[in-house]
Amino acid sequence: MTKMPLSKGLNSGLRAAMEADEKVLIMGEDVGRLGGVFRITDGLQKDFGESRVIDSPLSEQGILGTAVGMAMRGYRPVLEIQFDGFVYPAYDQIVSQVAKFHFRSGGKVKMPIVIRIPFGGGIGAVEHHSESPEGQFALTAGLKVVSCSNANDAYWMIQQAIASDDPIVFMEPKRRYWDQGEVDLEHDPFPLHKSRIVREGTDATLIAYGPMVKTCLESADAAAEDGVNLEVIDLRTLSPLDLDPVYDSVRKTGHAVVVHEAAQTLGLGAEISARITERCFYSLEAPVLRVTGYDLPYPPSRVEEEFLPGLDRVLDAVDRSLEY
C-alpha cells in the first residue's frame, strides 16, 4: 500500500498504461510541457516523448476529431479536456462520432478513446470551470461514463478505462485531486463498472459518486454521533449504472438519499430514484430524496459553498427521510 493524492493516482495509472502499451498516447491542451493545469500528466512527456504526450491546439473539437482517426488506426488516445465547461465545442464529435462509430460500422471499428474531464466545483473557479455535465454523456447510447472518488480508484480505473475497447468519459472530481489515500499497487482492482459499499449502515442509504462520496462519508460520521447509522454507496460507474448493491441496501434500510453536484432536474438522481422506486417499492419507508446542485448556472466562487451540496443539506435530507 502506498499513500498518495488522487492526482498522483491518476498520474501513476497513466504512466502504467503507457508503459504497458505503446499504442496509448495522451493529447490535450498543455498536457505536455506544463503537465496539465492540474499537473495530472506531469513528467509524462519528458519520459515518453512528444509523439506520445501531445500538446494540442486550443480546439476541443479538433482534439476529439483527431482522436477518432487515431482510434481507427489502432491507437488508444487518452484526451484531457482542460475544464468541464470546455467540453461543449467537442460535444458533437463525442455524441455523433465517438459514441456511434462502433455501432455504425457493425462492430468492425472500435473506439478505444478515454475522455478525461475534471468536473464539479469547490475550487473557487468561475462558471465553465465548475460544471457537472456527466448526465449529458450518461444518456448517450454508445458511451460509458465513470467517476473515481479516491486515489486507489483513480490509479486502477484510469488503467481499466484505457484498456477498454469502448469509449469512456472519465469524470475526475477536481476538488478531490489533493485528497490523500491508500493505493494498493499489487492486488487485482475492483471491476470498473461496479458500484461499491464504502461504509456499511442500517438506518438509511446514501448514494453518491465522484466528489460527493467524501461529503457523504463525512455526513455519515456526523450522523453516527447522534446514533444514526448510514450506509454509503459509491456508484463509480454512471453508465452503465450498477444498482444491485443499491437495491440490496435500500431493502435493508428502507430509506434512500441520492447526492450529486449536478442540477436536480433531469440529473442522474432522477433516474436512480425512479429505478429504486420501481425495484424496492415495498421496502421503502419514505420517498427517495435527492440532494443536488440547484437548477441555476454555476454561481460566483464567493457563494459556491451555498450552491454545492454539503454536510448540513445531506443530514437534513436524512432527517426528513427518517421522519416519515
Side-chain angles (χ1 to χ4, degrees):
M1 302 290 286
T2 302
K3 193 168 187 177
M4 63 180 72
L6 189 151
S7 58
K8 180 64 175 178
L10 288 168
N11 179 277
S12 299
L14 288 168
R15 180 178 295 276
M18 296 185 77
E19 290 173 346
D21 186 350
E22 64 180 12
K23 292 291 187 179
V24 175
L25 50 85
I26 294 172
M27 184 166 58
E29 299 162 7
D30 297 320
V31 298
R33 187 176 302 177
L34 181 66
V37 170
F38 296 102
R39 304 300 186 267
I40 304 303
T41 55
D42 187 42
L44 297 181
Q45 188 182 76
K46 175 179 176 293
D47 293 339
F48 293 98
E50 295 182 4
S51 63
R52 293 189 66 193
V53 183
I54 304 164
D55 281 317
S56 72
L58 301 181
S59 171
E60 285 76 19
Q61 187 177 34
I63 294 169
L64 264 296
T66 302
V68 170
M70 294 174 121
M72 293 175 70
R73 298 289 292 180
Y75 290 93
R76 292 183 176 273
V78 182
L79 316 179
E80 178 178 300
I81 303 298
Q82 199 168 74
F83 282 94
D84 33 44
F86 297 176
V87 74
Y88 295 109
Y91 189 74
D92 176 47
Q93 292 279 13
I94 296 171
V95 302
S96 300
Q97 305 297 335
V98 175
K100 304 296 193 296
F101 224 112
H102 188 222
F103 183 82
R104 185 186 304 146
S105 67
K108 295 179 180 179
V109 180
K110 296 181 174 63
M111 284 283 117
I113 297 173
V114 176
I115 305 167
R116 295 180 40 242
I117 306 178
F119 82 117
I123 64 168
V126 295
E127 63 175 351
H128 307 313
H129 296 70
S130 302
E131 315 293 331
S132 297
E134 61 273 17
Q136 297 179 55
F137 298 110
L139 61 76
T140 301
L143 290 178
K144 292 184 176 178
V145 184
V146 301
S147 182
C148 57
S149 67
N150 57 75
N152 191 68
D153 273 354
Y155 175 75
W156 286 112
M157 288 173 71
I158 191 65
Q159 294 181 69
Q160 292 168 307
I162 293 169
S164 172
D165 286 334
D166 296 315
I168 294 180
V169 178
F170 197 97
M171 309 299 297
E172 302 172 4
K174 68 170 81 76
R175 69 191 295 194
R176 307 302 184 198
Y177 273 148
W178 303 278
D179 288 359
Q180 297 279 336
E182 296 286 344
V183 177
D184 188 340
L185 301 175
E186 297 182 359
H187 290 88
D188 291 338
F190 200 73
L192 178 61
H193 296 298
K194 293 292 184 180
S195 57
R196 179 163 54 193
I197 296 174
V198 293
R199 179 186 175 117
E200 294 188 355
T202 56
D203 295 330
T205 304
L206 299 181
I207 303 142
Y209 57 86
M212 286 293 102
V213 173
K214 181 177 180 180
T215 301
C216 287
L217 288 170
E218 292 171 344
S219 300
D221 288 339
E225 297 178 4
D226 294 327
V228 178
N229 192 357
L230 301 180
E231 186 147 289
V232 180
I233 297 180
D234 182 354
L235 289 175
R236 301 175 74 252
T237 180
L238 311 182
S239 180
L241 283 166
D242 174 35
L243 294 182
D244 284 341
V246 174
Y247 301 146
D248 291 341
S249 178
V250 173
R251 291 185 183 112
K252 175 178 65 176
T253 67
H255 300 268
V257 177
V258 187
V259 185
H260 58 66
E261 282 190 27
Q264 183 177 96
T265 301
L266 298 180
L268 280 165
E271 177 67 24
I272 295 166
S273 299
R275 294 199 194 185
I276 292 173
T277 302
E278 289 172 357
R279 295 288 294 272
C280 306
F281 182 79
Y282 291 107
S283 299
L284 286 168
E285 299 179 20
V288 181
L289 301 181
R290 290 172 286 168
V291 180
T292 70
Y294 299 107
D295 293 346
L296 296 167
Y298 201 84
S301 60
R302 65 181 179 273
V303 295
E304 70 175 347
E305 289 304 318
E306 302 299 323
F307 178 84
L308 295 171
L311 183 147
D312 289 340
R313 287 176 59 195
V314 173
L315 292 180
D316 176 69
V318 170
D319 288 343
R320 286 188 284 120
S321 180
L322 294 176
E323 287 171 359
Y324 270 90

